[in-house]
Amino acid sequence: MCGIVGALRKNANVVDFLTDGLARLEYRGYDSAGIAVHNGDEIKRVRRVGRVQNMAQAAHAKNLTGHIGIGHTRWATHGGVTEPNAHPHISGGLISVVHNGIIENFEAERERLQALGYEFNSQTDTEVIAHSIHHEYSQNGGDLYRAVQTASLRFHGAYAIAVICADDPNHMVVARMGCPLLVAFGDDETFIASDVSAVIAFTRKVAYLEDGDIALLSASGIETLLDKQGNVANRNTKISELSLASLELGGHSHFMQKEIYEQPKAVADTAEIFLDGGFVPENFGETARQIFSQINSIKILACGTSYYAALTGKYWLESIAKIRCDVEIASEYRYRDVISDENELIITISQSGETLDTMEALKYAQAQGHKHSLSICNVMESALPRSSSLAIYTRAGAEIGVASTKAFTTQLVILFGLAVTLGHLRGHVSDEQLTNYAEELRLLPGSIQHALNLEPQLSAWAKDFATKPSALFLGRGIHYPIALEGALKLKELTYIHAEAYPAGELKHGPLALVDENMPVVVIAPNDNLLDKVKANMQEVGARGGELFVLTDLDSDFTETDGVHIIRTPRHIGVLSPIVHTIAVQLLSYHVALVRGTDVDKPRNLAKSVTVE
Ligand code: AGP
């Protein structure tokens, strides 16, 4: 969603950094962009609806230069997609602000500030921040840091903000509460960003701010940093390991295509955690052995694709580790009465680690008395792992395409590794079985590679889907969540309505939808449910529905009129859902190409959903 960048550079213009940084945050999803730069005399601003590139061209045309500046990509929440609503916002020609998050009490604050004589030029909650800081600044005799401190006491909600002031071309104040913000250090230059990908072309030295931190920055670094309690604080500087190559297309047409093709490596890298380190609790954190031996059930909280990973993981956790596992959509869990259980492990799954609903669901679970939590996450140092007692990172690398691909398959590897680890610890997995599971994991990247070779066949299918208004995805057992993921991918990427059902549920309603205009994708691996799935396919065939069957090399299907078949590699047993995922990803990708939709940035969607 929204992205923040900022820079203070002693010897260089900040505009190139600001526009480059915002371009690197484009993947998060946005609808307008802007920068504000102090040119030594005053703050100049450029904002545009649409792409960062348009805004960057306008900034260059206006000859914007300066040694200090802030920038923002906005994903509309309060107020439409208009230039006046785009950030940065300026109050009284003096205070300029960029903001991520939501100020929940902005209406009351707006009324208060209007009564003080402030005029509002936008419909945003952010303008409240700018005016509020302006007001405090004029009251306290021109101390920007103190103005931000006092004003922020009034803000309810989540925010990361960066503030510059026309009176001071050498300092910036940043504050964080609930939304990520980092400070990065170069030689005589300091940068800020909501996401490390914005800065690594310039420096890898980063420090992550914590909730409640307010920092005064100059080109030399952090001059003052006070924490939530107002105490002087230090935040460790780390060297980011994110590779620049992962942020570039590297010959691929889209990030999604690149990320689909990175899966053999991403899965192998993630599997290495267990293949090199063993299926031991310590992979999940220093205290994991002690926590794992206390728990008697698991609840997984997640959203979207991560939720489907959780649904898949439930099968492994219950069948391999023999531990009860419930899975809930985070945005539902956080608003219902729950029964607390201090022996239940709360697991959150998130690519970004900053999905607000998942974060709030975790906080809610903790407030209800859940003691133990584990975060499965892709982004280092993000909010969820930092708020959990245990954490394990997928090794997918940066995922830029809004539609999640390699994050999902690597989450599945971790969930499988967790199931085997718990199974062994709880005495349900013998040493011999452990060796077999390790072998299955070792062979997985090869099977994924085979599935990738199916791209030409899936691309041929795509033409049949591209003109259809809807599609149905069916699966049974552990492949039902993969049908759900297939339907979500098709919706996101192609805007075709798609639904997924457990195949056995067809006759209880969705069969009414089936006619010759409804392509039905069936995930039909050669497992113990194959005969059941075949029976469900008969039900579709008898109603004139066209079947697109994803099955394994060794299953006994024959292609007939109205039954199209693509065979993934030989059935690989318990890890089969991961291989079938590749096929549904490629199918959606190719339908999107035929329909000409924006593959990497589907309309209305954002990579990290940091609002409710
Ligand atoms: C997946 O393709 C989606 N873009 C979306 O459902 C995503 O998985 C969801 O928003 C959760 O994100 P997270 O994994 O970063 O928490």
PDB file of all heavy atoms in Angstrom, residues 375-397:
ATOM      1  N   SER A 375       5.642 -16.728  14.075  1.00  0.00           N
ATOM      2  CA  SER A 375       5.392 -16.024  12.817  1.00  0.00           C
ATOM      3  C   SER A 375       6.145 -16.737  11.693  1.00  0.00           C
ATOM      4  O   SER A 375       7.334 -17.013  11.817  1.00  0.00           O
ATOM      5  CB  SER A 375       5.876 -14.582  12.961  1.00  0.00           C
ATOM      6  OG  SER A 375       6.152 -14.025  11.711  1.00  0.00           O
ATOM      7  N   ILE A 376       5.416 -17.017  10.613  1.00  0.00           N
ATOM      8  CA  ILE A 376       6.055 -17.539   9.391  1.00  0.00           C
ATOM      9  C   ILE A 376       5.994 -16.391   8.397  1.00  0.00           C
ATOM     10  O   ILE A 376       4.916 -15.960   7.997  1.00  0.00           O
ATOM     11  CB  ILE A 376       5.318 -18.780   8.852  1.00  0.00           C
ATOM     12  CG1 ILE A 376       5.334 -19.888   9.908  1.00  0.00           C
ATOM     13  CG2 ILE A 376       5.943 -19.250   7.530  1.00  0.00           C
ATOM     14  CD1 ILE A 376       4.542 -21.135   9.522  1.00  0.00           C
ATOM     15  N   CYS A 377       7.145 -15.874   8.032  1.00  0.00           N
ATOM     16  CA  CYS A 377       7.166 -14.588   7.341  1.00  0.00           C
ATOM     17  C   CYS A 377       8.262 -14.563   6.289  1.00  0.00           C
ATOM     18  O   CYS A 377       9.254 -15.283   6.399  1.00  0.00           O
ATOM     19  CB  CYS A 377       7.413 -13.507   8.394  1.00  0.00           C
ATOM     20  SG  CYS A 377       7.263 -11.866   7.753  1.00  0.00           S
ATOM     21  N   ASN A 378       8.097 -13.700   5.279  1.00  0.00           N
ATOM     22  CA  ASN A 378       9.144 -13.591   4.255  1.00  0.00           C
ATOM     23  C   ASN A 378      10.014 -12.353   4.443  1.00  0.00           C
ATOM     24  O   ASN A 378      11.167 -12.349   4.044  1.00  0.00           O
ATOM     25  CB  ASN A 378       8.507 -13.576   2.855  1.00  0.00           C
ATOM     26  CG  ASN A 378       9.530 -13.766   1.766  1.00  0.00           C
ATOM     27  OD1 ASN A 378      10.456 -14.579   1.902  1.00  0.00           O
ATOM     28  ND2 ASN A 378       9.414 -13.013   0.694  1.00  0.00           N
ATOM     29  N   VAL A 379       9.445 -11.290   5.018  1.00  0.00           N
ATOM     30  CA  VAL A 379      10.194 -10.036   5.114  1.00  0.00           C
ATOM     31  C   VAL A 379      10.856  -9.924   6.486  1.00  0.00           C
ATOM     32  O   VAL A 379      10.182  -9.902   7.515  1.00  0.00           O
ATOM     33  CB  VAL A 379       9.273  -8.821   4.841  1.00  0.00           C
ATOM     34  CG1 VAL A 379      10.029  -7.521   5.026  1.00  0.00           C
ATOM     35  CG2 VAL A 379       8.704  -8.912   3.426  1.00  0.00           C
ATOM     36  N   MET A 380      12.194  -9.855   6.452  1.00  0.00           N
ATOM     37  CA  MET A 380      12.967  -9.791   7.692  1.00  0.00           C
ATOM     38  C   MET A 380      12.576  -8.563   8.503  1.00  0.00           C
ATOM     39  O   MET A 380      12.303  -7.502   7.936  1.00  0.00           O
ATOM     40  CB  MET A 380      14.470  -9.675   7.378  1.00  0.00           C
ATOM     41  CG  MET A 380      15.049 -10.802   6.571  1.00  0.00           C
ATOM     42  SD  MET A 380      14.960 -12.383   7.400  1.00  0.00           S
ATOM     43  CE  MET A 380      16.465 -12.387   8.296  1.00  0.00           C
ATOM     44  N   GLU A 381      12.577  -8.718   9.797  1.00  0.00           N
ATOM     45  CA  GLU A 381      12.411  -7.586  10.709  1.00  0.00           C
ATOM     46  C   GLU A 381      11.051  -6.917  10.606  1.00  0.00           C
ATOM     47  O   GLU A 381      10.882  -5.800  11.071  1.00  0.00           O
ATOM     48  CB  GLU A 381      13.486  -6.504  10.455  1.00  0.00           C
ATOM     49  CG  GLU A 381      14.887  -6.910  10.787  1.00  0.00           C
ATOM     50  CD  GLU A 381      15.088  -7.103  12.285  1.00  0.00           C
ATOM     51  OE1 GLU A 381      14.333  -6.521  13.069  1.00  0.00           O
ATOM     52  OE2 GLU A 381      15.991  -7.868  12.641  1.00  0.00           O
ATOM     53  N   SER A 382      10.094  -7.557   9.964  1.00  0.00           N
ATOM     54  CA  SER A 382       8.792  -6.903   9.835  1.00  0.00           C
ATOM     55  C   SER A 382       7.998  -7.076  11.134  1.00  0.00           C
ATOM     56  O   SER A 382       8.432  -7.750  12.074  1.00  0.00           O
ATOM     57  CB  SER A 382       8.038  -7.442   8.621  1.00  0.00           C
ATOM     58  OG  SER A 382       8.040  -8.832   8.641  1.00  0.00           O
ATOM     59  N   ALA A 383       6.822  -6.466  11.155  1.00  0.00           N
ATOM     60  CA  ALA A 383       6.099  -6.339  12.425  1.00  0.00           C
ATOM     61  C   ALA A 383       5.710  -7.690  13.033  1.00  0.00           C
ATOM     62  O   ALA A 383       5.837  -7.883  14.248  1.00  0.00           O
ATOM     63  CB  ALA A 383       4.859  -5.488  12.199  1.00  0.00           C
ATOM     64  N   LEU A 384       5.231  -8.631  12.222  1.00  0.00           N
ATOM     65  CA  LEU A 384       4.732  -9.891  12.796  1.00  0.00           C
ATOM     66  C   LEU A 384       5.822 -10.710  13.483  1.00  0.00           C
ATOM     67  O   LEU A 384       5.647 -11.106  14.641  1.00  0.00           O
ATOM     68  CB  LEU A 384       4.000 -10.711  11.730  1.00  0.00           C
ATOM     69  CG  LEU A 384       2.549 -10.249  11.495  1.00  0.00           C
ATOM     70  CD1 LEU A 384       2.026 -10.738  10.164  1.00  0.00           C
ATOM     71  CD2 LEU A 384       1.640 -10.709  12.622  1.00  0.00           C
ATOM     72  N   PRO A 385       6.976 -10.978  12.819  1.00  0.00           N
ATOM     73  CA  PRO A 385       8.001 -11.730  13.552  1.00  0.00           C
ATOM     74  C   PRO A 385       8.486 -10.993  14.792  1.00  0.00           C
ATOM     75  O   PRO A 385       8.801 -11.625  15.808  1.00  0.00           O
ATOM     76  CB  PRO A 385       9.135 -11.907  12.533  1.00  0.00           C
ATOM     77  CG  PRO A 385       8.790 -11.089  11.357  1.00  0.00           C
ATOM     78  CD  PRO A 385       7.329 -10.804  11.406  1.00  0.00           C
ATOM     79  N   ARG A 386       8.510  -9.657  14.704  1.00  0.00           N
ATOM     80  CA  ARG A 386       8.988  -8.908  15.871  1.00  0.00           C
ATOM     81  C   ARG A 386       8.020  -8.987  17.049  1.00  0.00           C
ATOM     82  O   ARG A 386       8.418  -8.791  18.183  1.00  0.00           O
ATOM     83  CB  ARG A 386       9.231  -7.447  15.487  1.00  0.00           C
ATOM     84  CG  ARG A 386      10.535  -7.270  14.687  1.00  0.00           C
ATOM     85  CD  ARG A 386      10.471  -6.092  13.746  1.00  0.00           C
ATOM     86  NE  ARG A 386       9.989  -4.903  14.391  1.00  0.00           N
ATOM     87  CZ  ARG A 386      10.698  -3.804  14.592  1.00  0.00           C
ATOM     88  NH1 ARG A 386      11.952  -3.757  14.206  1.00  0.00           N
ATOM     89  NH2 ARG A 386      10.174  -2.749  15.159  1.00  0.00           N
ATOM     90  N   SER A 387       6.760  -9.273  16.749  1.00  0.00           N
ATOM     91  CA  SER A 387       5.766  -9.315  17.838  1.00  0.00           C
ATOM     92  C   SER A 387       5.473 -10.730  18.307  1.00  0.00           C
ATOM     93  O   SER A 387       4.571 -10.934  19.117  1.00  0.00           O
ATOM     94  CB  SER A 387       4.458  -8.689  17.345  1.00  0.00           C
ATOM     95  OG  SER A 387       4.692  -7.446  16.799  1.00  0.00           O
ATOM     96  N   SER A 388       6.183 -11.714  17.772  1.00  0.00           N
ATOM     97  CA  SER A 388       5.875 -13.110  18.095  1.00  0.00           C
ATOM     98  C   SER A 388       6.980 -13.720  18.948  1.00  0.00           C
ATOM     99  O   SER A 388       8.143 -13.313  18.856  1.00  0.00           O
ATOM    100  CB  SER A 388       5.746 -13.925  16.799  1.00  0.00           C
ATOM    101  OG  SER A 388       4.823 -13.317  15.946  1.00  0.00           O
ATOM    102  N   SER A 389       6.614 -14.747  19.745  1.00  0.00           N
ATOM    103  CA  SER A 389       7.661 -15.354  20.571  1.00  0.00           C
ATOM    104  C   SER A 389       8.639 -16.165  19.714  1.00  0.00           C
ATOM    105  O   SER A 389       9.800 -16.292  20.070  1.00  0.00           O
ATOM    106  CB  SER A 389       7.065 -16.206  21.692  1.00  0.00           C
ATOM    107  OG  SER A 389       5.773 -16.640  21.429  1.00  0.00           O
ATOM    108  N   LEU A 390       8.151 -16.719  18.604  1.00  0.00           N
ATOM    109  CA  LEU A 390       9.023 -17.502  17.722  1.00  0.00           C
ATOM    110  C   LEU A 390       8.861 -16.983  16.293  1.00  0.00           C
ATOM    111  O   LEU A 390       7.798 -16.475  15.933  1.00  0.00           O
ATOM    112  CB  LEU A 390       8.631 -18.974  17.750  1.00  0.00           C
ATOM    113  CG  LEU A 390       8.640 -19.675  19.107  1.00  0.00           C
ATOM    114  CD1 LEU A 390       8.051 -21.079  18.974  1.00  0.00           C
ATOM    115  CD2 LEU A 390      10.059 -19.736  19.679  1.00  0.00           C
ATOM    116  N   ALA A 391       9.897 -17.147  15.488  1.00  0.00           N
ATOM    117  CA  ALA A 391       9.782 -16.704  14.094  1.00  0.00           C
ATOM    118  C   ALA A 391      10.638 -17.584  13.206  1.00  0.00           C
ATOM    119  O   ALA A 391      11.706 -18.053  13.608  1.00  0.00           O
ATOM    120  CB  ALA A 391      10.224 -15.261  13.955  1.00  0.00           C
ATOM    121  N   ILE A 392      10.147 -17.803  11.992  1.00  0.00           N
ATOM    122  CA  ILE A 392      10.947 -18.495  10.980  1.00  0.00           C
ATOM    123  C   ILE A 392      10.676 -17.793   9.655  1.00  0.00           C
ATOM    124  O   ILE A 392       9.536 -17.419   9.360  1.00  0.00           O
ATOM    125  CB  ILE A 392      10.636 -20.009  10.934  1.00  0.00           C
ATOM    126  CG1 ILE A 392      11.592 -20.718   9.956  1.00  0.00           C
ATOM    127  CG2 ILE A 392       9.192 -20.292  10.584  1.00  0.00           C
ATOM    128  CD1 ILE A 392      11.641 -22.237  10.135  1.00  0.00           C
ATOM    129  N   TYR A 393      11.734 -17.589   8.891  1.00  0.00           N
ATOM    130  CA  TYR A 393      11.597 -16.847   7.632  1.00  0.00           C
ATOM    131  C   TYR A 393      11.646 -17.786   6.442  1.00  0.00           C
ATOM    132  O   TYR A 393      12.514 -18.659   6.364  1.00  0.00           O
ATOM    133  CB  TYR A 393      12.726 -15.823   7.504  1.00  0.00           C
ATOM    134  CG  TYR A 393      12.591 -14.676   8.486  1.00  0.00           C
ATOM    135  CD1 TYR A 393      13.282 -14.684   9.700  1.00  0.00           C
ATOM    136  CD2 TYR A 393      11.755 -13.598   8.207  1.00  0.00           C
ATOM    137  CE1 TYR A 393      13.151 -13.644  10.607  1.00  0.00           C
ATOM    138  CE2 TYR A 393      11.610 -12.551   9.109  1.00  0.00           C
ATOM    139  CZ  TYR A 393      12.310 -12.576  10.302  1.00  0.00           C
ATOM    140  OH  TYR A 393      12.170 -11.553  11.200  1.00  0.00           O
ATOM    141  N   THR A 394      10.709 -17.566   5.514  1.00  0.00           N
ATOM    142  CA  THR A 394      10.784 -18.238   4.226  1.00  0.00           C
ATOM    143  C   THR A 394      11.958 -17.612   3.469  1.00  0.00           C
ATOM    144  O   THR A 394      12.268 -16.437   3.675  1.00  0.00           O
ATOM    145  CB  THR A 394       9.489 -18.041   3.428  1.00  0.00           C
ATOM    146  OG1 THR A 394       9.119 -16.665   3.504  1.00  0.00           O
ATOM    147  CG2 THR A 394       8.361 -18.874   3.979  1.00  0.00           C
ATOM    148  N   ARG A 395      12.572 -18.376   2.598  1.00  0.00           N
ATOM    149  CA  ARG A 395      13.714 -17.834   1.857  1.00  0.00           C
ATOM    150  C   ARG A 395      13.309 -17.612   0.403  1.00  0.00           C
ATOM    151  O   ARG A 395      13.947 -18.101  -0.529  1.00  0.00           O
ATOM    152  CB  ARG A 395      14.899 -18.785   1.967  1.00  0.00           C
ATOM    153  CG  ARG A 395      15.398 -18.894   3.404  1.00  0.00           C
ATOM    154  CD  ARG A 395      16.584 -19.831   3.521  1.00  0.00           C
ATOM    155  NE  ARG A 395      17.054 -19.923   4.909  1.00  0.00           N
ATOM    156  CZ  ARG A 395      17.970 -20.782   5.310  1.00  0.00           C
ATOM    157  NH1 ARG A 395      18.515 -21.649   4.455  1.00  0.00           N
ATOM    158  NH2 ARG A 395      18.350 -20.808   6.572  1.00  0.00           N
ATOM    159  N   ALA A 396      12.219 -16.860   0.236  1.00  0.00           N
ATOM    160  CA  ALA A 396      11.706 -16.624  -1.115  1.00  0.00           C
ATOM    161  C   ALA A 396      12.414 -15.453  -1.781  1.00  0.00           C
ATOM    162  O   ALA A 396      12.386 -15.317  -2.998  1.00  0.00           O
ATOM    163  CB  ALA A 396      10.203 -16.363  -1.053  1.00  0.00           C
ATOM    164  N   GLY A 397      13.042 -14.581  -0.997  1.00  0.00           N
ATOM    165  CA  GLY A 397      13.586 -13.342  -1.562  1.00  0.00           C
ATOM    166  C   GLY A 397      12.436 -12.368  -1.781  1.00  0.00           C
ATOM    167  O   GLY A 397      11.273 -12.689  -1.509  1.00  0.00           O
TER     168      GLY A 397
END
